Structure formats: structure tokens, C-alpha cells
């Protein structure tokens, strides 16, 4: 059974800092790894999806990496802004079960001015 | 393009009552799923469908039923609500091969069982 863990549970940084969120998973037979953002009282918005054959994906100030051998993924946020404050979740789709996601518990990010 | 639409947004039920959470998507996605989100537990998969007429159980299926008669709709039924089903419910849809960010979530349904 896939298990996903996110560290840290919460993070508070000043505006402008570069930061890294960590995600680890137990089953290396992962189909893809996805990072989501969730604002309070809202649904999830997909940020980046990394296929199992890929090492990283980039979108604007966001960069996500995937290392299947070590069971780790990181989300790098450059030049953080107060608008980046949200909960960030990673989720893995295992084996042939595309779309059946196992989520971590999330990292609550606060970027203060 | 409405994406994934969930109704109702908020609902209060008494123990033992039944209800259906509705989910509809207009993106012609084959895959649809239901998750519940609880404090300290993250999101957990309840039921899953890979197409009309095909459903499968997820991690926490007990107390919930689903059906998929059309590609667009994937309702979640609570036959006899229990306080343990108090949660936020999210519906999601996806389709492999449609691009980088292919999983879309609804806005959520807040359910309280008293």
C-alpha cells in the first residue's frame, strides 16, 4: 500500500525567500506524482504533474522533482509571495491505477510580507 | 467550461438519513473519483470510476455507494448517514493523455451528520 508523507507540516517564511517542500512515498512503482495547491474552503488546484519517466517539471516560479529510487519529490518555490500562502499537497498515482491518488497530509505555507 | 461541479455545497443530516452528493463534469473525462478530507488524515479515496458502467472501491468505501450511468455524472450516495461521515467531500475527474495538469477537483461539499 502506497503511503505518502509530507515534511514540514507547516512553514512560515518572509516574502522573497526561496523554499522547498518535501514529499516522500513508499512504493517506487509510481505512475505519476502530482503537486496541488488548496486555499481555505476551496478545492484542489493541480500545480505540476511529473510522470514516472520524468525527473522534473517547471511552471513559472515552481519546480518539482521526482526521484523514484529514493521515494522522494520536492516542490521548489522561488521568490515566494504572500499570494503563495496555501496548503500544498502531493499525491502519487500507483502502478496501473492512474487517477487513484494517495495524498500526503499537506504542508501549510504562510508567506508574510 | 464549468469543469467539475459539486452540489450541495453544505448539508446537515441527521443520523440515519440518506442523501446523494452530486458530481458532474463537462470535460468528457473518463476517470472520476470521490475523496473525503478530514483533519489530520489528508484526502482519502472513497470510490472510483474509469468509465460509464464501471466503478471500483477506494481506501474508505464503507457506507457509500456510487454508480456511473453516464460519462458526465458520478453521484455519491450515503444510505444511512453516521457522525463518522462528517467530512468535506471532493469529486475529481481526469483523462490520461490530455496534458500536464489533467486532474480537476470540484469545490467540495461540506457534510455534517448530527
Amino acid at each position: 500500500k502506497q503511503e505518502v508523507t509530507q515534511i514540514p507540516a507547516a512553514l512560515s517564511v518572509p516574502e522573497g525567500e526561496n523554499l522547498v517542500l518535501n514529499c516522500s512515498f513508499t512504493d517506487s512503482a509510481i505512475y505519476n506524482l502530482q503537486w496541488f495547491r488548496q486555499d481555505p474552503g476551496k478545492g484542489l488546484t493541480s500545480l505540476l504533474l511529473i510522470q514516472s519517466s520524468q525527473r522534473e517539471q517547471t511552471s513559472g516560479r515552481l519546480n518539482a522533482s521526482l526521484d523514484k529510487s529514493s521515494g522522494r519529490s520536492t516542490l521548489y518555490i522561488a521568490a515566494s509571495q504572500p499570494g503563495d500562502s496555501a496548503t500544498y499537497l502531493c499525491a502519487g498515482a500507483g502502478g496501473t491505477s492512474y487517477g487513484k491518488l494517495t495524498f500526503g497530509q499537506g504542508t501549510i505555507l504562510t508567506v508574510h510580507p | 467550461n464549468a469543469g467539475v461541479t459539486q452540489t450541495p455545497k453544505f448539508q446537515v443530516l441527521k443520523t440515519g438519513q440518506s442523501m446523494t452528493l452530486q458530481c458532474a463534469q463537462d470535460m468528457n473525462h473518463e476517470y472520476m473519483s470521490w475523496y473525503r478530507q478530514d483533519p489530520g488524515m489528508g484526502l482519502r479515496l472513497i470510490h472510483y470510476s474509469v468509465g460509464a458502467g464501471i466503478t471500483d472501491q477506494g481506501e474508505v468505501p464503507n457506507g457509500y455507494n456510487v454508480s456511473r450511468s453516464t460519462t458526465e455524472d458520478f453521484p455519491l450516495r450515503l444510505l444511512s448517514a453516521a457522525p463518522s461521515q462528517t467530512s468535506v467531500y471532493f469529486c475529481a475527474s481526469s483523462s490520461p493523455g490530455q496534458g500536464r495538469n489533467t486532474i480537476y477537483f470540484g469545490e467540495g461539499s461540506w457534510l455534517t451528520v448530527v
Side-chain angles (χ1 to χ4, degrees), chain B residues 46-62:
Chain B
I46 305 171
H47 282 289
Y48 177 75
S49 171
V50 299
I54 306 170
T55 62
D56 192 10
Q57 294 183 349
E59 182 184 356
V60 287
N62 293 340

Side-chain angles (χ1 to χ4, degrees), chain B residues 15-102:
Chain B
T15 298
Q17 285 185 319
S18 63
M19 78 157 298
T20 299
L21 299 177
Q22 302 290 345
C23 177
Q25 53 92 7
D26 61 358
M27 297 171 283
N28 202 32
H29 284 169
E30 303 99 313
Y31 292 69
M32 295 186 75
S33 50
W34 278 101
Y35 294 85
R36 59 177 290 173
Q37 186 175 32
D38 303 291
M41 301 291 290
L43 279 87
R44 293 178 291 169
L45 181 66
I46 305 171
H47 282 289
Y48 177 75
S49 171
V50 299
I54 306 170
T55 62
D56 192 10
Q57 294 183 349
E59 182 184 356
V60 287
N62 293 340
Y64 307 95
N65 281 349
V66 292
S67 59
R68 184 96 180 269
S69 57
T70 67
T71 299
E72 295 78 19
D73 301 298
F74 191 44
L76 179 71
R77 298 182 184 87
L78 285 71
L79 298 180
S80 179
S84 61
Q85 294 178 303
T86 294
S87 187
V88 184
Y89 292 84
F90 289 99
C91 179
S93 76
S94 59
S95 181
Q98 282 196 7
R100 286 193 305 129
N101 300 323
T102 58

Side-chain angles (χ1 to χ4, degrees), chain A residues 11-65:
Chain A
L11 183 63
S12 180
V13 300
E15 181 176 7
E17 269 204 10
N18 302 323
L19 57 99
V20 175
L21 307 181
N22 296 293
C23 173
S24 62
F25 49 92
T26 56
D27 186 357
S28 62
I30 197 165
Y31 186 88
N32 63 49
L33 191 292
Q34 210 163 175
W35 284 90
F36 295 87
R37 170 185 172 136
Q38 185 177 29
D39 294 292
K42 298 292 186 180
L44 282 69
T45 300
S46 181
L47 297 173
L48 290 166
L49 183 152
I50 311 174
Q51 301 289 0
S52 62
S53 59
Q54 299 174 323
R55 292 294 297 240
E56 65 178 337
Q57 283 285 346
T58 298
S59 176
R61 294 182 293 109
L62 305 179
N63 176 275
S65 67

